[in-house]
Amino acid sequence: MKVRFGGDYNPEQWPEEVWTDDYRLFDTARIDTVTVGVFDWALTQPSEDVYDFSTLDRIVERAAAEGRQVCLATGTAAHPAWLARAHPEITRVDFEGRKHRFGGRHNSCPSSPVFRRLSAEMARRRAARYAGNPAVVAWHVGNEYSGACYCDLCAAGFRDWLRKKYEGLDGLNAAWNTRFWSHTFYDWDEIEPPSALTEHWRGPDHTAFQGITLDYTRYMSDAMLTNYLDEKNAIRESSVDVPVTTNFMGMFRGLDYHKWAPHLDFASWDNYPPDDTSQARMAFTHDLMRGLKDGQPFWLMEQTPSFTACRDVNPLKRPGVMRLWSWQAVAHGADAVLFFQMRASRGASEKYHGAVIGHSGRDDTRVFREVAELGAELDTLGDAVLGARTPARVAILFDWDSWWALEISDGPSRHVKYQSVVLAYHQALWDAGVDVDAVSVTADLSRYDVVVAPALHMLKGDIAQRLEAVAARGGTVVTTFLSGRVDEHDNAFLMDVPGPLGTLMGVRVDEWDARAPEVINPVRLGELVVESRLLFELVIPQGAEVVGEYQSDFYAGTPAVTRNAYGDGEGWYVAAGLDQAGVSWVMRQVLDRHGLSGPYPDVPDLETATRVAPDGTRLLFLLNHNAVPVEVPARVGGVDLLTGTRVEVGQPLSLAARSVMILRQ
Amino acid sequence: MKVRFGGDYNPEQWPEEVWTDDYRLFDTARIDTVTVGVFDWALTQPSEDVYDFSTLDRIVERAAAEGRQVCLATGTAAHPAWLARAHPEITRVDFEGRKHRFGGRHNSCPSSPVFRRLSAEMARRRAARYAGNPAVVAWHVGNEYSGACYCDLCAAGFRDWLRKKYEGLDGLNAAWNTRFWSHTFYDWDEIEPPSALTEHWRGPDHTAFQGITLDYTRYMSDAMLTNYLDEKNAIRESSVDVPVTTNFMGMFRGLDYHKWAPHLDFASWDNYPPDDTSQARMAFTHDLMRGLKDGQPFWLMEQTPSFTACRDVNPLKRPGVMRLWSWQAVAHGADAVLFFQMRASRGASEKYHGAVIGHSGRDDTRVFREVAELGAELDTLGDAVLGARTPARVAILFDWDSWWALEISDGPSRHVKYQSVVLAYHQALWDAGVDVDAVSVTADLSRYDVVVAPALHMLKGDIAQRLEAVAARGGTVVTTFLSGRVDEHDNAFLMDVPGPLGTLMGVRVDEWDARAPEVINPVRLGELVVESRLLFELVIPQGAEVVGEYQSDFYAGTPAVTRNAYGDGEGWYVAAGLDQAGVSWVMRQVLDRHGLSGPYPDVPDLETATRVAPDGTRLLFLLNHNAVPVEVPARVGGVDLLTGTRVEVGQPLSLAARSVMILRQ
Amino acid sequence: MKVRFGGDYNPEQWPEEVWTDDYRLFDTARIDTVTVGVFDWALTQPSEDVYDFSTLDRIVERAAAEGRQVCLATGTAAHPAWLARAHPEITRVDFEGRKHRFGGRHNSCPSSPVFRRLSAEMARRRAARYAGNPAVVAWHVGNEYSGACYCDLCAAGFRDWLRKKYEGLDGLNAAWNTRFWSHTFYDWDEIEPPSALTEHWRGPDHTAFQGITLDYTRYMSDAMLTNYLDEKNAIRESSVDVPVTTNFMGMFRGLDYHKWAPHLDFASWDNYPPDDTSQARMAFTHDLMRGLKDGQPFWLMEQTPSFTACRDVNPLKRPGVMRLWSWQAVAHGADAVLFFQMRASRGASEKYHGAVIGHSGRDDTRVFREVAELGAELDTLGDAVLGARTPARVAILFDWDSWWALEISDGPSRHVKYQSVVLAYHQALWDAGVDVDAVSVTADLSRYDVVVAPALHMLKGDIAQRLEAVAARGGTVVTTFLSGRVDEHDNAFLMDVPGPLGTLMGVRVDEWDARAPEVINPVRLGELVVESRLLFELVIPQGAEVVGEYQSDFYAGTPAVTRNAYGDGEGWYVAAGLDQAGVSWVMRQVLDRHGLSGPYPDVPDLETATRVAPDGTRLLFLLNHNAVPVEVPARVGGVDLLTGTRVEVGQPLSLAARSVMILRQ
């Protein structure tokens, strides 16, 4: 057993003589796992009544014969052209109200009975055919579920979903506050999907009715989850214990992965960060993906060995970066490191997407060599990290509903973005070097010393009470502007802001000021003066102590950051859009209160992460994201699993640029 | 009698126990007028055959019982969902050709017979039911008429409208110059609404046929006016003398308010300026709204007490600003100061729009306190300003046709915006402190010393002759680049530019140069050198005296500003896009000629405005828009109506930041 | 015989008394050629069964009677309104899937049988009617063919086109690599036009399937060519030898003019450069248009005498510019200098487009005077330049397929634009003052010393071998990054980059780095350090000599520019997006190798161009694009054809700002 290594492999695009080259190169790179069949629906079902698995048979048989393990896809992420022609219902209607025709991928209407029937049947047949093959180690359902449909079938599905959610139209009218703008619904059939043709203006985030848009977003997430479950259930008819997953996309706004996660046997995700300085963001996203299944290891299902193709600018991963980021995934809980893709396609839109094997088929490119070297390292590592857990004492709450509610809101500011707020608080923790869990608002919070709830716009269920409980037992809760504003239906709490969080925070907010991005209000935090921008809530303390104050405008001298004693703990309220320095100052105060800190809190971009193996062994990952070497004293002793070198406490550690060390303590 | 105070009130969104809280708070804030029923169609007509006014009855009865006056809306600005389902014709087809379905507001096709029948019937029934209630002091038809429809019903309506306008297709073909690009129409039914599917490219301002687009814009304005009249006429069946209005939106491009105004018993408008430095712009807009009904007082129907919600950034009104802007409205002719809205909605898109009463229902917020203080001041003022008039000697012509023609024109520059040109000339007058009327091109000009016609692109009727008459009797006429270019059909005058204005201006323009916004041509004006940009007309004087000259490019040394003696007066031509300093210099010369100036022409942002009460009493408003105090000597003596303080001529006046003084002379 | 002078003339928009004014002014300006009937379909065919040529008869008769020559249009570039109503099939469906209705121009579906029948019939009737008129010297088919249609008729046409191109669906599936994303087509009818409703995202350049989009682009170009041929063939039924053309638009991406050119009797084009510093760009475009017909003279069919109307900003041509640019056209091969248009339209979208005769009808405007002066000069010149040829030793390859393939590619960089790359290499040659042919990849390359192939993304046919032949016989071939990547189907070559160019270039490229536009990598070229940006290929020399090296990033010190000895010649590879200084340095090395240089390579914006008359006389054009005078020594002796002045070698030449000299050597 070891960390899996390999990736998406599409031999059906190539003559079989190329396959032989592939396996020779796989040997060189120690590829042990291939994901096959992701986009082969048209190949395996050439017409409605004909299934033809002959090519897929040969692909799976060859993989097994070569000793590889197979992550077998259901192939349903793009439907065949014949199907779109035979059953036009299967294509989507987009947000603009346009009926699509055949093309692209992720193109099936989630509500189409034809799609549901045929996609499940495809999964059923694949499971029946390959479940017995011991090389098949995982089922990969669909691919990167995403997008939305606004067709009449989806409209009908939405109404059914609403009927189940609300007891009757009275409940729905109340939840959506439909007395506003003459929207009272007297019949379910009057309800339309919220789109550019109905409630929206200026795109998906601008809606006349936040409640309708929010529910449609939830419904669409659920509808695609149903598609996933259709296939999973069909697989389970013949494959009882091979685990089933689908590849997520990290912080992807479209789907509430917290609702999906219970239905995956393990989480997996595709890591395509926006740029090559995304180390902290990737760390957070790994934590979020790990948090989906309560800390259980996940698969890194896709990453590029070199460059993407779909961006305006597709930079090359510098030497060492692919390795570094692969180990970062492992450090945060991945037990598979997979690439998209093994061999580059000749034509179409991913022709220039990087691959382990390029168009020339060479084994002497830099990229191939680095892949092969990583393969060798993973072999060296063996099972040392398998089944390990992250011992985090700090949690960040991440909530899709709050994300949606915040960003579809009219007012106070379209410039406040949920991800930006969350990432600033995570960055502060990452810089400090502490291990973090990113969890849902329903997660068990009893294990954390610190719980951070950035921009927790919507409060659902008993989250306010559970946050109070964290503080009551001595923990610290941090929240920010625009938290505690609305209930689960996006209706404002009829009480002082921050709503049910007011008691814990000891503050009251009557008014707030949004300003253009270039407007700065300095905030004094102890000796430090930082900048704040975008949103400035005016805080009237109700027992809280003032920690930071605005320095300009008519509210100069009023609180921008407060701390409230609550039980044995504290509630911190950050009322302003602080810059990173400000957020980091606040979070350091909080971490200091609990004596939490990583070993190198003052060394920029030297990431540390701890994993505890099932036998209790602690593994300390050191990841130098700098393009220059870093020298630090060892804070713990142990053996570097990648080199076998012994490290003593206090000894100077020399970490080369973009290098990795895994100390088994 | 006093200036009305109150605003939009939607108790139908709340349980009745909340109403009791509302009236308690209304008492505190001295709210005397509420606008009700603006969006309650779905509530009051739950299905085609059922009308249910029970809730509205209770709302009106309660208001009356509490001693408030009611501005009663017809409720037709958003149709019910059941209606869109039963009669799909009622929803609009947008500029992109997309048929909308139920959603949003301002969503009815103006040509739909169903809409016309049912909206009139709703107005008819409300009038019949509530006309006898003495609390009802005004009828509020629809709300913020806006948008456009391009459906087949509108296309048919357009053809009918054209048939009436043009004697036959020959007239239409001539007016639209259809020999161009093979557009000759041989049958009325060949005519299509100009949209993204027909004549337009790159949006509503880019058309292949300006004449068609211009006529459709006029038609759509007329079609909505017909909607308004449908309801007004239905109201008049039972309510003979309660005045009828609809709320305008100031400088709103979509509708020609000059054509609407005769059909309103009084004008009213909603003041949502683009930013918090819009004092001059708001002054102009008030003047424009007052000018709609020949100087008659108007209602400020809506303003926010604190912040809007629909903008990307929704800043908070600083302390004192709401009061200052309210008094500014009164200074320019408002005899009602109303808010949107009295109590904040819980959900949907205006959840974060500011309200007199927020979600917490408090009476101790800053915003509520300022509202209550203003309520008290208005009580103090009593009837002192009611029925007053503005004694302006200066008029600015504002012409929707010129606005449309200029901004849909291909060439010379898409960067020249009608509003910007007009506002620059108004700013110069506002800075000088003179009272201004903003009037249509059909207004009586005989009462003015100075008439400013910025960017009067289209000349209709006898406007050229009437401007000549202004100068002939000793007045001054000022016009600018891009004036006098086209006739009422947007066809170029076949003569030298500026067309029929040439005689008055004494200039001829053969060519013009448009340059990118960053290109500056300095213009010398006496001792001053200012900047000009965007458009540079090359002037050949035909009798006019050169006042300003370009300083660069091949036309350096040629005229940029000229003055022409005409009769006892003068015609000024500004050929270049002067900066504000340049425009202000020109206008000061003109005002000086007539000895026109406000009391503090050199004190920035200290606005003055005069009102003459029916008994001849002169009221001088002093409005300090600065965030700092201003000290000036009193130019007139009188009593400050807000404090009762007596002011003597020459005495120093200390005006606090954002403060107001109303001197009764 | 002389260079034709005149332009588009639309007397049908005017009463006949205006025609008399026109001809008086034409006399003044020595206008000898008018293009008539471009947009008169609605006039000449008022209904399906009625043709009415009476007005066109009078227009042609009058022109002939006045001694003018006529370029007679077929009038089909905008269909009549009645036709769109009678046959809705004739309007287009746009990229967004929207069915258009009547409006605009260039509005006919190229696949519509009705359009094809009626447009051919219109051409047929015009030819039959006017072919015998000796005043008719050319046929002008349609106008500025452009746009695209995505209707069902075009879809069917596309499938037919594909059937002819590919032997069967297997060939098509292989060409498009349809195993990717489950796109295998089993039936021709499954194929959809690639649009926003099928394969595209974010607009026409973002497609899931490059092969499909590429073929549709080719098909649409061919479909419109068929429209042209429909009319040409109809003309030829009665007009055997009057030449037929249509006006091209220079570097227009939509149509592959190289495929069209064989079907034009002479090329013609409309010159509307993006700004007034486009002298080099215009030179290139003239060269490209001249190259369409193997160096044969072309017509400058349209240019504005003063300004355009359709741009956001429409600057005025400075004094002398219209003349200078007219002579530039002649210097590059034009034997007609024509304007759009003779008299300005009164209304619609070209109302403000400059014209020889403005709305005032004056003959004393600056613009008219300059036109008249040019008319006189052209008379003076007589036939001296007619039939001349450009003796270029340098060719630039221009390839519409590479343009399309490069700009619809996903990866490596959306910022690399084909035109920009080509224009940078041309600018270097233009600055050096050498004559250049811009030719297709199928052109005879045997006459050139230097062949430049910038961004030749796609290699078709035997181009690689023919480029090798250029080098083998001693010539120099220059190519750049992103060349040699794909075959004619846009499938990557399964070999080292730059594919079949690798042998000639002696390099191999395994990886490449795209960076944001602000990222600069300095490149050392001899003593010079220049900037490179956007794309950086990493070159591994395979025999080539390193000429320039990257100076930063992890590939600092590796080759950015290489030179490979090949036969008696050389292959140069430029791997980076060099700035203009870098490109110019490279091209000067190459030109120096062949001793190629214009007379004034170091005088900025002093353009020189040589023409060799049929009798062998060499004409040297000197065009001073500077706004200031330039003084240079005469490099050759001769007579200035415009002034008759004799020039001796070595004598100082004083070239006024924006002046022209034509030395007959």
Side-chain angles (χ1 to χ4, degrees), chain C residues 29 104 136 195 216 412 436 442 573 595:
Chain C
V136 175
S195 75
Y216 200 78
V436 175
T442 60
Y573 192 75

Side-chain angles (χ1 to χ4, degrees), chain B residues 13 20 31-32 54 60 132 145 194 200 207 230 255 272 425 453 479 487 536 543 560-561 572 584:
Chain B
Q13 292 180 22
T20 302
I31 300 301
D32 54 46
S54 56
V60 173
Y145 281 91
H200 282 255
T207 175
D230 286 345
L255 304 177
Y272 297 106
Y425 284 81
T479 191
D487 67 15
F536 316 94
V561 180
W572 286 65
S584 293

